[in-house]
Amino acid sequence: MEKVRTRFAPSPTGYMHIGNLRTALYAYLFAKKEHGDFILRIEDTDRARYVDDAVDVIKNTLRAAGITWDEGPDAGGEYGPYVQSERMAIYKEYAEKLIELGGAYRCFCDADKKTEGDFGGYDRACRDLPAEEVERRLKNGDSYVIRQKMPLTGETTYFDVLHGNITIANEELEDQILLKSDGMPTYNFANVIDDHLMKVTHIIRGEEFITSTPKHVLLYDAYGWEKPVFMHLAPVMGKAEDGTVSKLSKRHGATSFEDLVNLGYLPPAIINYVALLGWNPKTTNEEIFSLEELKKLFSAEGLSKSPAVFDYNKLGWLNGEYLKRMTDEEFAQKARPFAGELTDNLQEKWLFVAALLKTRLTNLAQVEGEIAFLKEMPPFDESLYANKRNKATIQTAKDILPQVIEVLAGVSESEWTNENLYAKISDVIEKVGVKKGAALWPVRISIAGKTVTPGGATELLYILGKDESLSRMKKSLANLP
RNA sequence: GGCGCCUUCGUCAAGCGGUUAAGACACCGCCCUCUCACGGCGGGUUCAAGGGUUCGAAUCCCUUAGGCGUCACCA
């Protein structure tokens, strides 16, 4: 069997949309599952839309995601160049050849007036221009485009792995432009020439190309080339605040790989989630997969035909799972850049703090907010002292806090550890004869100023250190009515 | 508008003529617990509608509706 070769052919528009990333991932996984080649090709034939550095964004994103290309920019390969703007001579040659084969013709119509007629589409005015006329205008230096000569009757059918046979009546197809007047090919021409020349066996791309594929098929046929296998993927959708669903775009928030990374989602988690958005392994209920595992598991059978809505909730859950599986050290290191400026104390105990944070996050961007109260005591309402379950009230706080303060004041700096603090406060609890929570609740409130914190009272005391802890407790106590 | 594609819980989804219609996220309860989280246990909610075919339909066929895509010298 011939070697499987797939390609990812983005146009450099400036950022890597999640939907594009998924297409790249699937094409990559499909090739790797079959031990084939994955090619990166840059489709930059629209010079009006060209964006500087966009190619770097694509390459960097792919690399960060772990998707490597066997051929393409930076990787070389025997079918290059892999940037379409560098292949103009090739397109020109094949376009001329197609004219000879009777599958295309030169059109001298003005760019702006050709789309007339209520039915839309080009009126084929130049389709049967006499040879002498063509000759004359060429000599005259008139600018022209090359159009595909579509069959006027009949229908074209092709097979799509996901959708089965797809048939379109030829009369629906207009004589589309293959080569623009600036000599650049259009997508519909270049992708056929390149895919054939680069020996691409499976074309995996978005569903938006489903209706233009018959035009490509006609091209393959005109040249007498073997057709690749087509797989058109359903789009990734986004849910707007008003509940409406539409193709994922900027208005749905962070939708590029880069955005998500900046929000503290880990690349392996993003890849994992994106892989599951429109694909299901079927043979297992497991949902956490590394890229390596995906390479073994991937199969076109698991691809979904219907659109999938991007769900931040589930991404967050998956990311949280990845976070939890890290060692404390690894997590501490990854979380650090998201922590903002740290106090010396926090800096010193960062590993301890990070361990507390690890199971409580769905993305790293939450780190800063989670630890803000440790940097600075937030103002709070004394009603927070009241907690039914722990039988804590403002009054019990007033009774217990002074005793805890007194005991803790006697703990030396070197004994200021989570375990010791817990033991000391337990003594007070025993002496006073209250429930643990009745004492620990007010302590935690008095030094944190909030009811929900990463870590319990003694852990927070430890992190804050003796001076800061005592100072916060005293101040909070003084604020009590 | 023409043409094309799609339609199972709120979301991701399994299912390929006979199932109590999996599982996951989210949500709700309980347990654990120095708060929350983690972990454990349990719960509710789904086959777009209408016609067929069949002993039997989420699964096959048709119609309708809705969503999406495409009709560029954009990809």
Side-chain angles (χ1 to χ4, degrees):
Chain A
M1 207 177 86
E2 81 185 308
K3 194 173 196 186
V4 167
R5 287 167 63 79
T6 65
R7 46 67 163 180
F8 175 53
S11 60
T13 55
Y15 84 130
M16 181 74 101
H17 179 88
I18 282 301
N20 284 141
L21 177 64
R22 192 192 61 167
T23 303
L25 211 215
Y26 288 168
Y28 170 77
L29 293 176
F30 185 82
K32 292 305 148 187
K33 169 68 188 291
E34 305 296 332
H35 305 290
D37 297 326
F38 174 66
I39 303 161
L40 173 63
R41 182 174 74 221
I42 305 299
E43 309 222 329
D44 59 346
T45 55
D46 183 2
R47 50 183 223 285
R49 284 212 305 183
Y50 188 77
V51 179
D52 275 348
D53 301 333
V55 175
D56 288 331
V57 172
I58 291 167
K59 293 193 287 195
N60 292 339
T61 299
L62 255 20
R63 287 196 185 106
I67 299 172
T68 55
W69 53 102
D70 302 293
E71 291 171 31
D74 298 346
E78 53 181 310
Y79 304 99
Y82 292 91
V83 175
Q84 291 188 328
S85 58
E86 295 168 19
R87 300 169 63 81
M88 288 177 69
I90 298 172
Y91 306 121
K92 170 78 174 164
E93 177 196 336
Y94 279 93
E96 293 291 344
K97 195 163 163 187
L98 193 61
I99 292 179
E100 284 169 34
L101 290 169
Y105 62 91
R106 283 175 233 277
C107 167
F108 298 92
C109 297
D110 286 344
D112 44 329
K113 70 171 251 204
K114 49 84 228 177
T115 320
E116 279 169 18
D118 326 285
F119 34 43
Y122 173 62
D123 63 6
R124 293 174 164 146
C126 297
R127 184 166 162 125
D128 296 306
L129 240 37
E132 315 82 68
E133 169 75 356
V134 172
E135 205 54 39
R136 188 185 65 73
R137 303 198 62 163
L138 276 179
K139 224 169 258 171
N140 195 36
D142 291 358
S143 94
Y144 65 91
V145 298
I146 293 181
R147 288 181 182 277
Q148 185 177 359
K149 204 170 197 169
M150 296 296 181
L152 274 7
T153 57
E155 52 190 29
T156 299
T157 298
Y158 71 97
F159 181 76
D160 180 287
V161 175
L162 292 184
H163 303 282
N165 280 143
I166 290 177
T167 300
I168 300 235
N170 290 152
E171 59 187 352
E172 295 291 331
L173 311 175
E174 82 165 303
D175 287 358
Q176 64 173 346
I177 288 173
L178 267 17
L179 213 61
K180 308 180 218 175
S181 54
D182 65 359
M184 281 287 190
T186 55
Y187 168 82
N188 289 315
F189 184 53
N191 92 84
V192 171
I193 302 300
D194 288 345
D195 285 335
H196 174 257
L197 259 21
M198 294 178 183
K199 295 193 159 49
V200 171
T201 57
H202 299 257
I203 294 181
I204 299 173
R205 81 229 300 188
E207 198 174 70
E208 64 270 27
F209 296 111
I210 230 168
T211 45
S212 51
T213 300
K215 302 172 186 173
H216 308 161
V217 166
L218 254 10
L219 248 17
Y220 280 98
D221 288 345
Y223 284 113
W225 292 340
E226 189 185 340
K227 289 180 279 287
V229 175
F230 296 98
M231 290 169 81
H232 288 101
L233 308 170
V236 176
M237 314 293 278
K239 189 175 238 164
E241 285 192 19
D242 61 5
T244 56
V245 169
S246 57
K247 200 166 172 179
L248 191 67
S249 66
K250 289 120 266 180
R251 73 194 186 92
H252 296 298
T255 54
S256 75
F257 180 79
E258 202 180 352
D259 287 342
L260 294 175
V261 170
N262 289 338
L263 278 177
Y265 293 97
L266 306 166
I270 299 172
I271 286 297
N272 191 158
Y273 177 66
V274 166
L276 259 19
L277 248 196
W279 175 78
N280 181 287
K282 288 180 189 265
T283 51
T284 171
N285 271 336
E286 181 60 48
E287 297 198 273
I288 300 183
F289 304 112
S290 65
L291 228 209
E292 287 308 309
E293 290 171 318
L294 289 172
K295 277 154 81 168
K296 295 195 183 83
L297 269 178
F298 193 78
S299 151
E301 263 117 78
L303 288 172
S304 172
K305 287 192 285 191
S306 43
V309 177
F310 189 93
D311 181 10
Y312 287 94
N313 253 329
K314 187 137 187 182
L315 203 218
W317 165 75
L318 241 189
N319 198 234
E321 290 299 306
Y322 275 78
L323 258 19
K324 273 176 258 176
R325 288 170 192 219
M326 287 180 173
T327 60
D328 290 348
E329 289 74 17
E330 194 184 350
F331 176 83
Q333 189 218 329
K334 288 261 199 277
R336 187 57 256 268
F338 291 87
E341 212 167 307
L342 293 187
T343 59
D344 291 346
N345 197 25
L346 235 33
Q347 181 96 269
E348 189 184 314
K349 290 165 179 161
W350 182 241
L351 183 59
F352 185 88
V353 177
L356 254 24
L357 253 22
K358 201 172 74 169
T359 59
R360 283 166 245 253
L361 306 177
T362 54
N363 65 247
L364 261 14
Q366 294 160 342
V367 169
E368 189 158 15
E370 285 293 314
I371 62 171
F373 78 100
L374 292 170
K375 297 180 184 179
E376 192 180 353
M377 180 69 185
F380 69 101
D381 193 276
E382 66 260 17
S383 63
L384 297 192
Y385 283 114
N387 179 270
K388 243 214 228 126
R389 192 164 152 253
N390 287 301
K391 293 202 164 63
T393 63
I394 295 177
Q395 189 51 50
T396 62
K398 268 171 103 165
D399 294 343
I400 289 170
L401 250 19
Q403 302 188 59
V404 175
I405 290 172
E406 191 189 331
V407 170
L408 294 187
V411 177
S412 70
E413 297 274 4
S414 62
E415 286 177 335
W416 196 267
T417 64
N418 184 37
E419 295 70 27
N420 280 335
L421 292 167
Y422 187 70
K424 292 292 182 192
I425 296 179
S426 291
D427 290 346
V428 176
I429 289 166
E430 209 166 307
K431 198 178 87 193
V432 183
V434 292
K435 287 182 59 168
K436 268 188 293 191
L440 290 162
W441 178 276
V443 170
R444 199 169 52 83
I445 296 299
S446 73
I447 59 174
K450 48 196 282 194
T451 59
V452 175
T453 58
T458 61
E459 286 158 323
L460 297 182
L461 284 169
Y462 167 69
I463 293 168
L464 257 12
K466 185 174 177 181
D467 291 349
E468 177 69 10
S469 295
L470 255 20
S471 144
R472 286 188 180 198
M473 287 177 85
K474 285 174 187 163
K475 214 170 285 173
S476 294
L477 181 61
N479 281 340
L480 245 23

